[in-house]
Amino acid sequence: MATSTYPPGSDPGVLDIESKASAYHFDKAPSASSSSSSSPNPDVAAAVITSTSTSGTDFTISPAEEKRIKRHIDRRLVMTIGAMYCVSLMDRTNLGAANIAGMGKELKLIDNRYSIVSLVFFVTYVLFQPPSTVICRKIGPRIHMSVLTLLWGSVMIGMGFVKNWEQLAALRVVLGVLEAGFFPSCVYLLSTWYTRYEVGKRNSVFYLTGCVASAFAGILAYGLMQMDGLANLTGWRWIFIIEGVLTCLLGIAGYWLLVDFPDSPRKTWSFLSARDREWVCARVQADRGDVVPQKFVVSKYLSSGLDWKVWAYAMIFFNTTTISYALSFFLPVILNTGMGFNIAQSQCLVAPPYAFAGFVMFAGAYVGDRFRIRGPIVAFNALLAVIGIPIMGFAASAKVRYLGVFLVTAGANSNVPAAMSYQANNIRGQWKRAFCSATFVSFGGIGGIAGSLVFREQDKLTGYKPGLYACIATSLLTLVLVACLTVSFWRENKKAERGEKELEAEDDDAQPGFRYTY
């Protein structure tokens, strides 16, 4: 591995990322390697587009240029996948709104049929996630994610024309197959464009867009219900049809709006120059040393599963999504039947707790990136849920219980981007990152299965107490896992500082100096 060139008299250990990126580029950029027939690392030189005018001195990025590049990436990448995730979350969780809008009666969703329809989505959603990041890396996110979005939008439209609950369940199975590849690809794509202490806010903005969907999906559903009788279709059917059409339109637009990986060999980039992308690749390499993927080897890819921390991150995400999906599926029902609000009130009262969750989410991301911490943010959000669940479930007044909904919604949903950033900061290597993203999101899908079952119809008379206890247990488990990871990170970092080991150094060209983020 080539040795990075640093400015004379500087201390490599205290250089900021941009300085290290400049040094990395001078050593490994195509312009540097072209001057000699023996490039120290030709793979890295080939990973970025060659710019004939770029040199070591030309590569210096001013603060204004840095802000411009980051702003362009944020606008093009984060906002696009955020909008697409918005419709993804809306499409998989609009059952609750449709159920109280008349679907339950028309399709005879008695006994456990509603829970079954909710659950079957996650069976295929979990099974088809592991290969998704590998496929995304092979064919590129633009084709992969835009085609998936277009196809599941078509399935959503079909759900508006089902005749019985069995047909609805079958389409939910297909929907799970199509949506399985989207979220892990989003998590993986974001992590390849940003350094470890930039990704927190971006994850939050990305998921915050999804919260906006959850916040206003109920209001939108109430508006679409008013189309009842149009074209001889009941109101709940129009919820699926119109939202499906919107999804298809966004999937088509996504092909032109989405961006590929920063090391992609594509020749045309309308929003970044070759020099800009070289700088992006260089600073990510300087931050964690894994901008260039190793050759894919199945055994090496699967060996990432031997790291217990990968499963700890996944379990934290399972705990989080169990609660967040339970709220998505059952909050309108709980507000209607458990707290006594009418249908219109129940549809609209879903919005304020998700809006509050957005503020908590972004505040946590800002603090995490600013002070370079991850575990305490995850623990704080879990505590919010632990406090809010008993209030939501056991308070005598409906108004007080609704206050508990705010705390639970904020705690559960804020921990989605917080957990994403937690795992993204503490793994290194492209294929390990791909494996971790797949397992991470797969466990989130398993959490969706649990979330669809925790509030059972037979528990309605008890106030859904078994479901409440299950949600409290998952939040407490998150606190335990964060404590275990923090202790492990502290010990491993101490060993690295004493020179006893290099952390996350499985790849052949892994750079030294990596440290875990508490």
Side-chain angles (χ1 to χ4, degrees):
M1 183 174 69
T3 303
S4 297
T5 303
Y6 296 98
S10 67
D11 179 4
V14 298
L15 285 175
D16 60 27
I17 290 171
E18 281 70 27
S19 299
K20 292 169 71 180
S22 297
Y24 167 82
H25 176 273
F26 184 80
D27 192 22
K28 297 181 178 179
S31 55
S33 61
S34 62
S35 63
S36 172
S37 60
S38 59
S39 172
N41 195 336
D43 292 336
V44 177
V48 291
I49 294 177
T50 301
S51 176
T52 57
S53 63
T54 303
S55 66
T57 54
D58 291 340
F59 189 70
T60 302
I61 297 291
S62 69
E65 287 181 295
E66 178 186 338
K67 289 181 180 179
R68 174 186 61 81
I69 295 170
K70 290 181 181 178
R71 186 169 58 250
H72 283 191
I73 298 171
D74 290 343
R75 190 165 53 224
R76 184 71 175 270
L77 174 61
V78 179
M79 298 311 297
T80 300
I81 65 171
M84 295 176 77
Y85 184 64
C86 174
V87 295
S88 169
L89 197 61
M90 187 184 299
D91 290 346
R92 81 179 71 159
T93 59
N94 54 13
L95 279 181
N99 190 41
I100 65 173
M103 180 183 72
K105 291 182 179 179
E106 190 171 338
L107 298 185
K108 297 180 174 60
L109 297 181
I110 57 177
D111 299 326
N112 290 323
R113 289 179 178 178
Y114 178 71
S115 290
I116 292 171
V117 169
S118 302
L119 182 151
V120 291
F121 166 88
F122 291 100
V123 176
T124 49
Y125 184 73
V126 171
L127 291 176
F128 284 84
Q129 277 182 351
S132 62
T133 47
V134 178
I135 296 171
C136 184
R137 171 52 86 169
K138 292 295 183 182
I139 69 174
R142 292 175 67 243
I143 297 175
H144 180 63
M145 295 164 70
S146 59
V147 169
L148 287 177
T149 305
L150 178 63
L151 291 176
W152 91 58
S154 302
V155 172
M156 283 296 302
I157 295 173
M159 289 170 62
F161 297 96
V162 297
K163 302 300 182 183
N164 51 59
W165 77 275
E166 291 91 347
Q167 292 176 357
L168 180 64
L171 287 178
R172 290 278 295 175
V173 171
V174 178
L175 188 67
V177 174
L178 297 172
E179 289 209 34
F182 185 77
F183 189 66
S185 299
C186 290
V187 175
Y188 181 38
L189 181 61
L190 276 174
S191 70
T192 61
W193 276 94
Y194 295 103
T195 61
R196 287 183 295 157
Y197 301 110
E198 293 174 340
V199 77
K201 289 193 290 290
R202 274 73 181 187
N203 281 339
S204 289
V205 172
F206 157 63
Y207 190 74
L208 181 58
T209 314
C211 274
V212 171
S214 298
F216 294 101
I219 298 174
L220 175 62
Y222 179 70
L224 295 175
M225 283 169 52
Q226 310 312 309
M227 299 174 69
D228 184 48
L230 185 65
N232 294 320
L233 296 174
T234 46
W236 67 267
R237 295 181 182 275
W238 284 109
I239 295 175
F240 291 130
I241 294 170
I242 298 300
E243 291 182 2
V245 170
L246 293 175
T247 300
C248 288
L249 293 175
L250 193 56
I252 295 170
Y255 179 78
W256 284 275
L257 294 176
L258 280 167
V259 301
D260 280 317
F261 296 105
D263 60 299
S264 169
R266 283 184 64 222
K267 302 289 185 182
T268 55
W269 288 75
S270 59
F271 80 115
L272 286 184
S273 68
R275 177 172 172 270
D276 292 343
R277 276 203 305 127
E278 288 188 32
W279 178 76
V280 170
C281 290
R283 65 198 302 270
V284 172
Q285 180 71 11
D287 180 50
R288 59 176 186 260
D290 66 355
V291 74
V292 181
Q294 300 283 306
K295 181 180 178 181
F296 180 73
V297 179
V298 174
S299 59
K300 189 170 184 178
Y301 175 74
L302 296 177
S303 68
S304 301
L306 298 176
D307 185 351
W308 71 272
K309 298 187 294 296
V310 169
W311 305 105
Y313 307 138
M315 196 66 202
I316 288 173
F317 201 54
F318 165 84
N319 298 335
T320 299
T321 56
T322 296
I323 304 175
S324 62
Y325 277 120
L327 289 172
S328 297
F329 290 134
F330 294 100
L331 185 55
V333 178
I334 292 173
L335 290 171
N336 180 226
T337 63
M339 298 187 187
F341 296 105
N342 61 39
I343 293 177
Q345 291 171 331
S346 299
Q347 298 279 32
C348 296
L349 286 175
V350 169
Y354 281 97
F356 175 68
F359 287 107
V360 176
M361 187 184 305
F362 193 78
Y366 176 82
V367 171
D369 281 357
R370 175 70 178 81
F371 296 102
R372 301 192 171 191
I373 56 173
R374 298 298 181 213
I377 305 299
V378 176
F380 173 78
N381 292 331
L383 280 173
L384 280 182
V386 170
I387 294 170
I389 293 169
I391 297 174
M392 181 182 76
F394 306 122
S397 167
K399 293 180 180 179
V400 176
R401 294 176 68 189
Y402 186 55
L403 172 63
V405 172
F406 276 77
L407 298 179
V408 179
T409 305
N413 285 278
S414 297
N415 248 355
V416 172
M420 288 163 55
S421 301
Y422 197 31
Q423 64 92 14
N425 273 205
N426 292 304
I427 53 176
R428 184 163 64 161
Q430 286 279 0
W431 293 119
K432 184 172 184 179
R433 189 172 298 279
F435 181 88
C436 192
S437 295
T439 55
F440 184 81
V441 181
S442 293
F443 270 62
I446 298 172
I449 295 176
S452 66
L453 295 174
V454 291
F455 295 115
R456 302 175 301 176
E457 182 69 20
Q458 59 263 42
D459 297 328
K460 182 190 297 185
L461 296 178
T462 69
Y464 301 104
K465 287 183 180 178
L468 296 171
Y469 296 146
C471 291
I472 292 173
T474 57
S475 297
L476 292 175
L477 180 56
T478 294
L479 294 173
V480 172
L481 289 170
V482 170
C484 293
L485 285 167
T486 300
V487 172
S488 175
F489 291 160
W490 181 82
R491 289 178 174 174
E492 293 296 297
N493 283 352
K494 288 297 183 183
K495 290 180 181 179
E497 288 166 8
R498 292 193 297 265
E500 298 175 10
K501 66 185 301 185
E502 282 294 337
L503 304 178
E504 300 289 319
E506 291 86 358
D507 285 353
D508 296 334
D509 62 348
Q511 290 187 336
F514 183 87
R515 297 292 183 271
Y516 292 118
T517 304
Y518 301 141

